[in-house]
Amino acid sequence: MNLVTKIIDKTVTPITDDLDGWEKVEGNPTMTTWIEYTSPDESMITGCWSATPGIYRASYASWEFIHLIEGEVIITQDGQDPVTLLPGDAFMVDAGFTGTWEIIQPVFKHFAIKLK
């Protein structure tokens, strides 16, 4: 078994429905998710995600590392100041986050999510 998995292959069937915990609140944004790797113990997934402009309200049950490849997004945690993120930015969203993702320019990101 090869222990190196290339991400951004997009060889898997994409998920085109809005993910659990994400609700459209302004505009009509769409998202596409490619889960390209699941660890053998199913504790982690990685892949790519894209979204079009608009605003989602999101609630995170799990920890996520993100590397923004394209686009611009303003993430605002409830009760906190907004954070603007641009291509090249890498950041974390901790489990328990609740707030909005305002997608200004179409977004494409790599992600790693710790499920358990």
Side-chain angles (χ1 to χ4, degrees), residues 5 9 15 37 40 44 51 56 65 68 78 81 99 102-103 113:
T5 301
D9 248 351
I15 299 164
Y37 173 80
M44 176 166 269
Y56 281 102
F65 168 80
L68 191 63
D78 290 347
D81 292 332
E102 181 179 0
I103 299 156
I113 299 174

Side-chain angles (χ1 to χ4, degrees), residues 14-61:
I15 299 164
T16 55
D17 294 330
D18 290 345
L19 299 175
D20 290 342
W22 290 71
E23 176 187 355
K24 294 174 185 167
V25 294
E26 188 174 306
N28 191 27
T30 61
M31 64 172 66
T32 304
T33 307
W34 295 266
I35 298 174
E36 299 196 34
Y37 173 80
T38 302
S39 63
D41 66 357
E42 298 184 346
S43 67
M44 176 166 269
I45 58 173
T46 61
C48 302
W49 183 84
S50 67
T52 60
I55 300 176
Y56 281 102
R57 179 152 187 80
S59 296
Y60 275 64

Side-chain angles (χ1 to χ4, degrees), residues 76-88:
T76 307
Q77 180 180 337
D78 290 347
Q80 301 296 317
D81 292 332
V83 177
T84 300
L85 298 148
L86 301 169

